[in-house]
Amino acid sequence: MTSAPIHNRYEKYRKMLTEIADLEKIIALMQWDQEVNMPSAANAFRARQISRMAAQHHEMAVSEDYYDVLASLLDDDTLNNHQQMNVQRSMEDYQQEKRLPSEFVVRLSEAVAKSHQGWVDAQKENNFRLLEPHLEQIVALKREQAQLLGYKDHPYDALLNNYEKGLTVVELDEVFTGLKHQLGKLLDEIRGARATAPPSLKMVFPRQKQLDLCRVIASEFGFDFSRGRLDLSAHPFSLDLNPRDVRITTRIQEEDLMESLSSVIHEVGHGLYGQGLSLKEYGLPGGEAASLSIHESQSRLWENQVGRSEAFVNGYYQLISNYFPEVLKDISAFDFFRAINQVRPSFIRTSADEITYHFHILIRYELEKELISGAMEVSYLPQGWKEKYQKYLGLEVPDDNRGVLQDLHWAHGDIGYFPTYSLGSLYGAQFYAAAEKAIPDLDEHIRHKHYKPLLKWLKKNIFAHGRLFTSKELCEQVTGEPLNYKYFDEYARKKYRIVYGIK
Amino acid sequence: MTSAPIHNRYEKYRKMLTEIADLEKIIALMQWDQEVNMPSAANAFRARQISRMAAQHHEMAVSEDYYDVLASLLDDDTLNNHQQMNVQRSMEDYQQEKRLPSEFVVRLSEAVAKSHQGWVDAQKENNFRLLEPHLEQIVALKREQAQLLGYKDHPYDALLNNYEKGLTVVELDEVFTGLKHQLGKLLDEIRGARATAPPSLKMVFPRQKQLDLCRVIASEFGFDFSRGRLDLSAHPFSLDLNPRDVRITTRIQEEDLMESLSSVIHEVGHGLYGQGLSLKEYGLPGGEAASLSIHESQSRLWENQVGRSEAFVNGYYQLISNYFPEVLKDISAFDFFRAINQVRPSFIRTSADEITYHFHILIRYELEKELISGAMEVSYLPQGWKEKYQKYLGLEVPDDNRGVLQDLHWAHGDIGYFPTYSLGSLYGAQFYAAAEKAIPDLDEHIRHKHYKPLLKWLKKNIFAHGRLFTSKELCEQVTGEPLNYKYFDEYARKKYRIVYGIK
């Protein structure tokens, strides 16, 4: 007869988390709208509204009522294992959030709003100095945040922890050192083999046709348009409001089909994850994405392991040619496959190929670590940026817009975020290798546009766990071993052997 | 030396109202998104989120803190006249809102969310019975609301007051009795003169071209796209988030150019008002629209007095023909003018002509008054609807979708709202008559696409006052007399003399 009140407590917990999630999603909607729809003249109104909702969200997430419910459930052994894990994750979240005073949350949110505008102005003038004072404030706040959150070895660990629970500089350094070495070698080999370049795909692909094609492919991959949308925005992104409202965006350039196609497939990867999360567990850890890197592993896996494979191209080339018959009439499917897998150092992260991409991340990781440790001043950033692009990619960065101003992350206070992109790519390769073992003839399925077996496997092995496990735990569980960059290396070598004829 | 704290109190009042307005606008954004973007599968999530924000909005609007600030300012004679009027209006709002307990606000909001879904389902099945139980609940709640709000003569007065401060059944009955008589006569004369019908405009106008043309006209009328947007939605509407973010929508039917054109011009009328409100007074009565009927007067004035005038057609016919040269090649500007001014009884309010439109409203007004007084049961509505369409428009309503299910208002709890459409049309005609007196050669200006003098006059005489005055007060102030339907009658007679050749 004691189960009723316990059941009620768990229901109370669920109700509180639903409320917290609702506030979070209202904020997310306001941000999505700002990016996709809102006239930028109204930025100040929106910034104030978001700031206020963020403060309210924080207050709920650290309220005593909420703590009492959590604490009472924590040592309640009548909960089943899944419920216990939900409560444990929530308690960790509470403790993390509790370390930040409300006034700090408001200060950070206001600084970010101003800094966003500073970034817009700086981009317009192609001049980092317009962002500099704002970014100085952001970095100071993030250093303050690291102190508030606490850390053992490096203040950057505290920030990393916001995005990847338990990840440290020591671990990341190890990953990047290995990756840098392996990919450096591969890059050299590709450079040496540049003789047989495929035809360029820089032609004119009408915008509406690109969008139509993207919608067809998104739908065939399994993205459910009755529970989601695809819009245009300056920077492609995805948003999970709930499993019945998942929004992805892309951008379209008339002379570059792959820009839209790969963006859409990338965001569809995010979207499939969002639509595949548990509806019943909305707002609870069990119904949320595991982490940024696991979210990114899904987008990378669909974009690269699937969307840049020979099997995909073979499956879709006829359809793609039907959309653009004149443009593609002299290009074979194999040449198309080679063309979309070209490796070439470039200035802009978001249009980088799969290999050099990791160097873009490495550079940002090294720089932001130094900003947070205090080893580098914000004013030195453009110079530091140039030196590293010279060192790692052999490029002379010509200006701020093609350099330090290209990403919005730092201006938005997202420091410690970039590494999750590389981790996502590595996790994606490792998950895909596991899927290949588990699903007989996966390559054949892809060749026949048959994505259900892969999606089903991802749902069962990844989506179903929400964020009950950390990225590390999930990786071990799904693939039988910790994160290992050799899977990405093997995948890349196998592909570039074909594309560039290297051994 | 006592002015500082007073000044601070007024600033505190302004800050509180800004917060209240922000919550209201967040709700409005969620509703806009639901209408324009959101997959309908996510309705339950959005309904819950809106409901919660509505409760929060109500709590702020009736909080003791807020009351204390208002009360302290109310008898503060160091405020200037404008400030005093702001405070007075706010105190009236407070008292109105205070009459509704929070639990009632939540109950109503939840009932509306369910009823919305009931309406969607009923429309799908073309069957009023699916909406009936929900509507019964809504009507019961609105009757309860009338009791909570209080009234002197008729419970419907209490609901009217939500939309038009101070308006009563007695006044409305008088307006509609006169209007019904005058327009009935005009309708008979038009029927008698039907010999010389203009060519039909039912042709194929490509959708994208319609949208492009609408954007050009909206912009030339003065709608500022850097502070607003135009989107597509099932039902055209407009939304003021703030003077820098005003959103209008339209719908496009390929075989009906006037559907989109008149919708856009109508919504542009709303939009110009929204963009013309005081930025500095955001959230304060001085920065808000005067009332629903005054908002509607703006949309009607631009849609009808301007957009259906011979002067407008003469000014734009060349451009319109350029967009659709093949379609319009055999139609003269004068025939186009006559074609867009045809009067013909029809089932659907939103596509009614200017004359029969008022009968659509009269019918709804009579029905909802009886629902609220208790003289009619909800179950009788479809029958009551049919009888009145037979009586006033001589039409046999064939089914619920072309009858009682066509509007969302009642399902949304908006009872007492419909009359504001007719009032808007009458105010629009009366304002335009005043503008014609004040602006020499207004007709010539319109003919030369020169809208600035009219917009400037509206800004000065209407927009600038926010809602410091009631609709009645504003009307007297702008036109020198109370609302008088003779202006609409004169405008209509003058036009239909030309269109139908009646005297």
Side-chain angles (χ1 to χ4, degrees):
Chain A
M1 291 300 288
T2 55
S3 73
I6 287 159
H7 176 70
N8 286 349
R9 274 212 302 273
Y10 193 79
E11 275 315 303
K12 193 168 177 195
Y13 155 72
R14 179 199 294 282
K15 204 163 163 264
M16 284 174 147
L17 269 189
T18 302
E19 279 187 48
I20 293 173
D22 277 348
L23 281 175
E24 203 178 302
K25 299 309 187 179
I26 290 171
I27 294 169
L29 174 70
M30 288 195 277
Q31 288 166 332
W32 177 86
D33 178 78
Q34 187 168 17
E35 202 77 28
V36 177
N37 294 317
M38 198 191 75
S40 63
N43 271 333
F45 287 89
R46 186 55 53 84
R48 188 185 60 225
Q49 289 161 354
I50 288 176
S51 201
R52 224 158 250 168
M53 284 293 117
Q56 195 176 330
H57 174 264
H58 176 74
E59 273 162 38
M60 280 195 70
V62 300
S63 76
E64 280 192 34
D65 278 3
Y66 178 51
Y67 175 81
D68 290 344
V69 172
L70 279 180
S72 75
L73 286 168
L74 206 56
D75 42 27
D76 181 340
D77 52 14
T78 63
L79 295 184
N80 66 32
N81 186 43
H82 184 92
Q83 291 172 325
Q84 282 177 12
M85 290 181 80
N86 264 331
V87 173
Q88 278 157 15
R89 291 296 87 77
S90 294
M91 185 55 108
E92 289 159 18
D93 295 344
Y94 169 85
Q95 281 158 348
Q96 179 84 349
E97 189 91 19
K98 187 74 184 169
R99 296 195 181 100
L100 303 178
S102 292
E103 66 77 28
F104 176 84
V105 173
V106 173
R107 255 196 299 143
L108 180 60
S109 166
E110 284 169 358
V112 163
K114 281 184 198 144
S115 173
H116 175 97
Q117 194 53 47
W119 180 81
V120 170
D121 296 342
Q123 270 234 333
K124 211 175 285 168
E125 305 275 323
N126 195 357
N127 183 356
F128 175 77
R129 298 303 156 202
L130 296 179
L131 174 62
E132 190 177 320
H134 301 290
L135 201 51
E136 263 165 10
Q137 216 194 336
I138 295 283
V139 169
L141 282 162
K142 297 307 279 190
R143 295 182 67 187
E144 184 181 346
Q145 190 180 35
Q147 299 305 321
L148 290 167
L149 293 172
Y151 55 88
K152 228 168 67 185
D153 297 321
H154 196 294
Y156 187 81
D157 289 348
L159 301 182
L160 265 181
N161 207 43
N162 283 330
Y163 307 107
E164 288 293 317
K165 204 169 272 182
L167 186 66
T168 65
V169 162
V170 171
E171 291 167 305
L172 263 186
D173 281 351
E174 199 189 312
V175 169
F176 275 117
T177 304
L179 199 60
K180 180 163 67 174
H181 177 249
Q182 288 302 109
L183 294 188
K185 276 203 320 199
L186 182 56
L187 207 51
D188 285 343
E189 293 174 53
I190 288 172
R191 278 197 184 109
R194 168 111 353 123
T196 56
S200 160
L201 288 183
K202 300 275 167 194
M203 303 152 174
V204 173
F205 302 89
R207 304 168 72 88
Q208 188 56 48
K209 280 192 163 184
Q210 287 195 49
L211 192 58
D212 292 346
L213 176 64
C214 284
R215 277 184 206 279
V216 170
I217 293 178
S219 179
E220 292 185 356
F221 270 43
F223 186 77
D224 179 352
F225 279 96
S226 79
R227 297 185 291 132
R229 336 182 7 101
L230 168 61
D231 294 277
L232 298 178
S233 68
H235 302 276
F237 69 102
S238 77
L239 169 69
D240 309 340
L241 285 176
N242 58 66
R244 291 183 170 167
D245 188 359
V246 173
R247 304 179 182 195
I248 61 178
T249 72
T250 188
R251 62 179 157 209
I252 294 185
Q253 288 174 4
E254 207 159 43
E255 73 289 359
D256 190 353
L257 174 62
M258 283 315 288
E259 170 82 27
S260 60
L261 206 58
S262 66
S263 290
V264 166
I265 297 178
H266 179 100
E267 302 305 337
V268 159
H270 284 303
L272 292 172
Y273 193 10
Q275 292 187 334
L277 291 170
S278 163
L279 188 64
K280 276 191 311 191
E281 299 244 310
Y282 168 84
L284 274 65
E288 295 184 327
S291 69
L292 282 180
S293 68
I294 300 300
H295 224 311
E296 189 74 6
S297 76
Q298 299 307 298
S299 56
R300 297 294 167 136
L301 183 157
W302 288 98
E303 178 190 357
N304 296 331
Q305 274 75 24
V306 176
R308 291 185 201 273
S309 68
E310 232 189 315
F312 167 80
V313 172
N314 284 328
Y316 270 102
Y317 199 62
Q318 189 55 54
L319 181 72
I320 298 173
S321 303
N322 291 349
Y323 271 78
F324 310 104
E326 280 309 303
V327 185
L328 295 175
K329 66 179 190 299
D330 297 328
I331 298 174
S332 70
F334 184 67
D335 271 348
F336 188 86
F337 163 68
R338 289 175 66 222
I340 66 175
N341 280 294
Q342 288 300 294
V343 174
R344 186 173 298 125
S346 62
F347 299 118
I348 304 296
R349 175 183 64 84
T350 53
S351 32
D353 59 77
E354 288 180 74
I355 305 301
T356 59
Y357 189 89
H358 291 287
F359 291 97
H360 289 271
I361 296 303
L362 173 64
I363 289 167
R364 286 156 178 77
Y365 168 58
E366 291 184 353
L367 291 171
E368 63 183 17
K369 223 167 38 172
E370 291 187 43
L371 288 175
I372 293 305
S373 73
M376 183 188 284
E377 299 284 335
V378 168
S379 62
Y380 193 74
L381 256 190
Q383 187 52 36
W385 187 280
K386 284 181 182 172
E387 288 165 9
K388 287 188 191 290
Y389 268 79
Q390 183 61 62
K391 175 177 165 193
Y392 287 121
L393 291 171
L395 292 175
E396 196 72 49
V397 172
D399 56 18
D400 291 344
N401 277 357
R402 278 172 286 183
V404 66
L405 282 179
Q406 68 185 268
D407 295 306
L408 190 49
H409 298 62
W410 290 341
H412 266 194
D414 286 323
I415 299 183
Y417 189 122
F418 281 121
T420 69
Y421 290 129
S422 274
L423 294 181
S425 167
L426 305 185
Y427 280 128
Q430 191 160 341
F431 289 152
Y432 199 76
E436 280 180 316
K437 269 186 222 154
I439 305 167
D441 305 320
L442 178 54
D443 202 63
E444 273 305 299
H445 283 302
I446 303 295
R447 199 174 297 271
H448 293 93
K449 305 183 181 183
H450 192 205
Y451 302 108
K452 278 201 182 131
L454 176 59
L455 187 54
K456 201 174 145 194
W457 185 87
L458 293 169
K459 269 185 191 162
K460 184 179 160 220
N461 290 283
I462 297 175
F463 306 174
H465 301 299
R467 65 179 176 91
L468 297 183
F469 304 104
T470 64
S471 310
K472 286 183 214 174
E473 289 165 348
L474 193 63
C475 181
E476 292 221 27
Q477 205 167 300
V478 178
T479 72
E481 61 177 306
L483 181 67
N484 190 336
Y485 61 79
K486 82 162 192 195
Y487 290 100
F488 179 80
D489 191 47
E490 281 174 8
Y491 150 77
R493 290 206 153 262
K494 189 173 160 199
K495 178 150 76 178
Y496 294 109
R497 232 179 351 243
I498 303 169
V499 173
Y500 285 104
I502 59 174
K503 81 153 190 79
Chain B
M1 288 301 288
T2 55
S3 74
I6 286 158
H7 176 71
N8 286 350
R9 274 212 303 271
Y10 193 80
E11 274 315 303
K12 196 170 173 193
Y13 156 73
R14 179 199 294 282
K15 205 163 163 262
M16 284 174 148
L17 269 190
T18 303
E19 279 187 49
I20 293 173
D22 277 348
L23 281 175
E24 203 178 303
K25 299 309 186 177
I26 290 172
I27 294 169
L29 174 70
M30 289 195 277
Q31 288 165 333
W32 177 87
D33 178 77
Q34 187 168 17
E35 202 76 29
V36 177
N37 294 316
M38 198 190 76
S40 62
N43 270 334
F45 287 88
R46 185 57 53 84
R48 188 183 60 225
Q49 289 161 354
I50 288 176
S51 199
R52 225 157 248 168
M53 286 293 117
Q56 197 175 328
H57 174 266
H58 176 74
E59 274 162 37
M60 281 195 70
V62 299
S63 75
E64 281 192 32
D65 278 4
Y66 178 51
Y67 174 79
D68 291 345
V69 172
L70 280 179
S72 74
L73 286 168
L74 207 55
D75 42 27
D76 181 340
D77 53 13
T78 65
L79 295 183
N80 66 33
N81 186 42
H82 183 93
Q83 291 172 325
Q84 282 177 11
M85 288 180 82
N86 264 330
V87 173
Q88 278 157 13
R89 291 296 89 75
S90 295
M91 185 55 109
E92 289 159 18
D93 296 344
Y94 169 85
Q95 281 158 346
Q96 177 84 348
E97 189 92 20
K98 186 73 184 171
R99 296 195 181 99
L100 303 178
S102 292
E103 65 79 26
F104 176 83
V105 173
V106 172
R107 255 195 300 143
L108 180 60
S109 167
E110 284 169 357
V112 164
K114 282 184 199 143
S115 173
H116 176 97
Q117 194 53 49
W119 180 80
V120 170
D121 297 341
Q123 269 236 331
K124 210 175 286 165
E125 305 275 324
N126 195 358
N127 182 357
F128 175 76
R129 299 302 157 200
L130 296 178
L131 175 62
E132 189 176 321
H134 301 291
L135 201 52
E136 264 166 9
Q137 216 193 337
I138 295 282
V139 169
L141 282 162
K142 296 307 280 190
R143 296 182 67 186
E144 184 179 346
Q145 191 180 35
Q147 297 306 321
L148 290 167
L149 293 172
Y151 56 88
K152 228 170 63 186
D153 297 320
H154 197 294
Y156 187 80
D157 288 349
L159 303 182
L160 266 181
N161 206 43
N162 283 330
Y163 308 107
E164 288 292 318
K165 203 170 273 181
L167 186 66
T168 63
V169 163
V170 172
E171 290 167 305
L172 263 186
D173 281 349
E174 197 190 315
V175 169
F176 275 116
T177 305
L179 199 59
K180 182 163 63 173
H181 177 251
Q182 287 302 108
L183 295 188
K185 275 202 320 198
L186 182 56
L187 207 51
D188 285 342
E189 294 175 51
I190 289 173
R191 279 199 184 109
R194 172 109 351 122
T196 56
S200 160
L201 288 182
K202 300 275 168 195
M203 303 154 175
V204 173
F205 301 90
R207 303 169 72 87
Q208 188 57 47
K209 281 191 162 184
Q210 286 196 49
L211 192 58
D212 292 347
L213 175 64
C214 285
R215 276 185 206 281
V216 170
I217 294 179
S219 179
E220 291 184 358
F221 269 43
F223 186 77
D224 179 352
F225 279 96
S226 79
R227 298 186 290 132
R229 334 179 13 97
L230 168 61
D231 294 277
L232 297 177
S233 68
H235 301 275
F237 68 103
S238 79
L239 170 69
D240 309 340
L241 285 176
N242 57 67
R244 291 182 171 168
D245 187 359
V246 173
R247 305 179 180 194
I248 61 177
T249 72
T250 188
R251 61 178 158 208
I252 295 185
Q253 288 174 7
E254 207 159 44
E255 74 289 358
D256 189 353
L257 174 62
M258 282 316 287
E259 169 82 28
S260 60
L261 206 57
S262 66
S263 290
V264 165
I265 297 178
H266 179 100
E267 302 305 336
V268 159
H270 285 302
L272 292 172
Y273 193 10
Q275 291 187 336
L277 291 169
S278 163
L279 188 64
K280 277 191 311 194
E281 299 244 311
Y282 167 83
L284 274 65
E288 295 183 328
S291 69
L292 282 181
S293 67
I294 299 300
H295 224 312
E296 190 73 7
S297 76
Q298 299 307 297
S299 57
R300 297 293 166 137
L301 182 156
W302 288 97
E303 179 190 355
N304 296 330
Q305 273 74 25
V306 177
R308 291 186 200 271
S309 68
E310 230 188 317
F312 168 80
V313 171
N314 284 328
Y316 268 103
Y317 198 64
Q318 189 54 55
L319 181 72
I320 297 174
S321 303
N322 290 348
Y323 271 78
F324 310 105
E326 280 309 305
V327 185
L328 296 176
K329 67 178 188 302
D330 297 328
I331 298 175
S332 71
F334 183 67
D335 271 347
F336 187 86
F337 162 68
R338 290 176 65 222
I340 67 175
N341 281 294
Q342 288 301 293
V343 173
R344 187 172 297 125
S346 63
F347 300 117
I348 305 295
R349 175 184 63 84
T350 54
S351 31
D353 59 78
E354 289 180 73
I355 304 302
T356 59
Y357 189 89
H358 290 287
F359 290 97
H360 289 270
I361 297 304
L362 172 65
I363 290 166
R364 286 154 178 78
Y365 168 59
E366 292 184 351
L367 290 170
E368 63 184 16
K369 224 170 31 174
E370 291 187 41
L371 287 176
I372 293 304
S373 73
M376 184 188 284
E377 298 285 333
V378 169
S379 63
Y380 193 74
L381 255 189
Q383 187 53 34
W385 188 279
K386 283 182 184 173
E387 288 164 9
K388 288 187 190 290
Y389 267 78
Q390 183 62 61
K391 174 177 167 194
Y392 288 121
L393 291 171
L395 291 176
E396 195 71 50
V397 172
D399 54 19
D400 291 345
N401 277 357
R402 277 173 286 182
V404 66
L405 283 179
Q406 68 184 270
D407 295 306
L408 191 49
H409 298 62
W410 290 341
H412 266 195
D414 285 324
I415 299 183
Y417 189 121
F418 281 120
T420 69
Y421 290 129
S422 274
L423 293 181
S425 167
L426 305 184
Y427 280 129
Q430 191 161 341
F431 290 152
Y432 199 77
E436 280 180 317
K437 268 185 226 157
I439 305 167
D441 305 320
L442 179 53
D443 201 62
E444 273 305 299
H445 284 302
I446 303 295
R447 200 174 296 273
H448 293 94
K449 303 184 183 185
H450 194 205
Y451 303 107
K452 278 199 183 132
L454 177 59
L455 187 55
K456 203 175 143 194
W457 185 87
L458 292 169
K459 269 186 191 159
K460 186 180 159 221
N461 290 284
I462 297 174
F463 306 174
H465 302 298
R467 62 178 178 92
L468 296 183
F469 304 104
T470 63
S471 311
K472 286 183 214 176
E473 290 165 349
L474 194 64
C475 181
E476 293 221 26
Q477 205 167 297
V478 178
T479 71
E481 60 178 306
L483 180 65
N484 189 338
Y485 61 78
K486 82 163 192 196
Y487 291 100
F488 179 79
D489 191 47
E490 281 173 8
Y491 150 78
R493 291 206 154 260
K494 189 174 160 197
K495 179 150 78 177
Y496 295 109
R497 228 176 358 238
I498 303 170
V499 173
Y500 285 102
I502 59 174
K503 81 154 189 83

